[in-house]
C-alpha cells in the first residue's frame, strides 16, 4: 500500500469536490442545456465536469491503494469497474467538449452503468474492509444515483452531491495517508 498514492487520491477527491462546486455555481449562474453549447459558460461547465470526473478516477486509485490488501477480489473488481466507468465518462465528456455538442450518448450510458455497479461493490467492500469510516462506503454507494436524482430537484444538484461525496471521501483518504506515514516511520 503506497501512502503517496493514498495521499494523491485524497487530494484528487478534494480537488474534484472543488471542481464540482465551481461547475454547479457556473450552472446556476448560466444554465447549461444538455447538448447545446451556446456560450463560454457552457464550455467552462463541461471542462470543469470533465476534469472533476478524471480526478474521481484518481481518487478511486487512492481508495484501492489503501484497501487492496483488505477488501479482496470483490473490492478490486468494484474499484476497477468504477474506474473504467469514470474513465469512459471522461472520454465522452472530453469528446463532447471538443465536438461542442453531446456525442456518444450510448457510450455514456455504458460508463454510467459501470460506475453504478462498480460503486455499489466498491462501497460495500469499503464498509467491509473497515479501514475507512463506514460512511465512506455508504457515500460511494449512494453518491452516483443520488447525484442523478438531485438534478431533477435543483439545477446543478449533481455537482453539489458529488462535491460532498468526493470531498468527504478525499478528506478520509488524506486523514488515513497521514497515519500510514506515521506507521511506516515507526517500522523503519
Amino acid at each position: 500500500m503506497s501512502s503517496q498514492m493514498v495521499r494523491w487520491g485524497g487530494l484528487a477527491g478534494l480537488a474534484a469536490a472543488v471542481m464540482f462546486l465551481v461547475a454547479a455555481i457556473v450552472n446556476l449562474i448560466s444554465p447549461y442545456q444538455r447538448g447545446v453549447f451556446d456560450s463560454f459558460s457552457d464550455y467552462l461547465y463541461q471542462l470543469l465536469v470533465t476534469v472533476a470526473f478524471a480526478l474521481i478516477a484518481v481518487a478511486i486509485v487512492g481508495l484501492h491503494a489503501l484497501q487492496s490488501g483488505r477488501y479482496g477480489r470483490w473490492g478490486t473488481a468494484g474499484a476497477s469497474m468504477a474506474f473504467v466507468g469514470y474513465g469512459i465518462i471522461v472520454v465522452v465528456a472530453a469528446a463532447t467538449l471538443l465536438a461542442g455538442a453531446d456525442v456518444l450518448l450510448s457510450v455514456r450510458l455504458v460508463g454510467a452503468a459501470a460506475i453504478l455497479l462498480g460503486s455499489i461493490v466498491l462501497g460495500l467492500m469499503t464498509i467491509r474492509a473497515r479501514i475507512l469510516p463506514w460512511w465512506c462506503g455508504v457515500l460511494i454507494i449512494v453518491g452516483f444515483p443520488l447525484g442523478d436524482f438531485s438534478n431533477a430537484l435543483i439545477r446543478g444538484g449533481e455537482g453539489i452531491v458529488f462535491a460532498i461525496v468526493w470531498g468527504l471521501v478525499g478528506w478520509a483518504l488524506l486523514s488515513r495517508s497521514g497515519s500510514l506515514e506515521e506507521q511506516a516511520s515507526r517500522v523503519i
Side-chain angles (χ1 to χ4, degrees), residues 119-182:
S119 295
I120 290 170
V121 174
L122 176 60
L124 288 171
M125 293 299 104
T126 296
I127 293 169
R128 183 172 178 253
R130 296 183 180 178
I131 294 173
L132 292 172
W134 64 269
W135 49 263
C136 285
V138 172
L139 288 173
I140 293 168
I141 293 167
V142 302
F144 190 73
L146 185 61
D148 192 44
F149 175 73
S150 67
N151 270 341
L153 302 176
I154 183 172
R155 181 180 307 128
E158 180 180 43
I160 295 167
V161 169
F162 278 5
I164 293 168
V165 167
W166 290 103
L168 289 171
V169 171
W171 174 78
L173 281 171
L174 276 178
S175 66
R176 286 295 297 168
S177 72
S179 65
L180 291 175
E181 289 174 358
E182 290 172 11

Side-chain angles (χ1 to χ4, degrees), residues 5 7-8 21-22 28 32 38 54 62 64 75 105 108 114 135 140-141 148 152 155 157 162-163 165-166 173:
M5 194 61 238
R7 176 184 301 277
W8 279 107
L21 281 178
V22 173
L28 287 172
Y32 169 71
D38 289 336
H64 179 69
L105 182 60
R108 180 185 295 256
W135 49 263
I140 293 168
I141 293 167
D148 192 44
R155 181 180 307 128
F162 278 5
V165 167
W166 290 103
L173 281 171

Side-chain angles (χ1 to χ4, degrees), residues 16-180:
V18 170
M19 292 290 179
F20 277 121
L21 281 178
V22 173
I25 292 168
V26 167
N27 195 19
L28 287 172
I29 293 171
S30 178
Y32 169 71
Q33 299 296 322
R34 186 170 280 311
V36 180
F37 284 73
D38 289 336
S39 66
F40 172 75
S41 64
D42 294 339
Y43 285 97
L44 178 61
Y45 172 81
Q46 189 67 27
L47 176 65
L48 290 167
V49 169
T50 303
V51 171
F53 282 130
L55 289 167
I56 289 174
V58 175
I60 290 171
V61 171
L63 278 166
H64 179 69
L66 177 65
Q67 302 181 116
S68 63
R70 291 278 304 264
Y71 67 17
R73 282 184 253 171
W74 281 101
T76 300
S80 299
M81 195 178 313
F83 179 83
V84 167
Y86 279 111
I88 291 170
I89 296 296
V90 167
V91 169
V92 170
T96 297
L97 184 63
L98 293 173
D102 266 345
V103 294
L104 305 171
L105 182 60
S106 59
V107 176
R108 180 185 295 256
L109 294 175
V110 170
I115 291 170
L116 181 62
L117 294 174
S119 295
I120 290 170
V121 174
L122 176 60
L124 288 171
M125 293 299 104
T126 296
I127 293 169
R128 183 172 178 253
R130 296 183 180 178
I131 294 173
L132 292 172
W134 64 269
W135 49 263
C136 285
V138 172
L139 288 173
I140 293 168
I141 293 167
V142 302
F144 190 73
L146 185 61
D148 192 44
F149 175 73
S150 67
N151 270 341
L153 302 176
I154 183 172
R155 181 180 307 128
E158 180 180 43
I160 295 167
V161 169
F162 278 5
I164 293 168
V165 167
W166 290 103
L168 289 171
V169 171
W171 174 78
L173 281 171
L174 276 178
S175 66
R176 286 295 297 168
S177 72
S179 65
L180 291 175

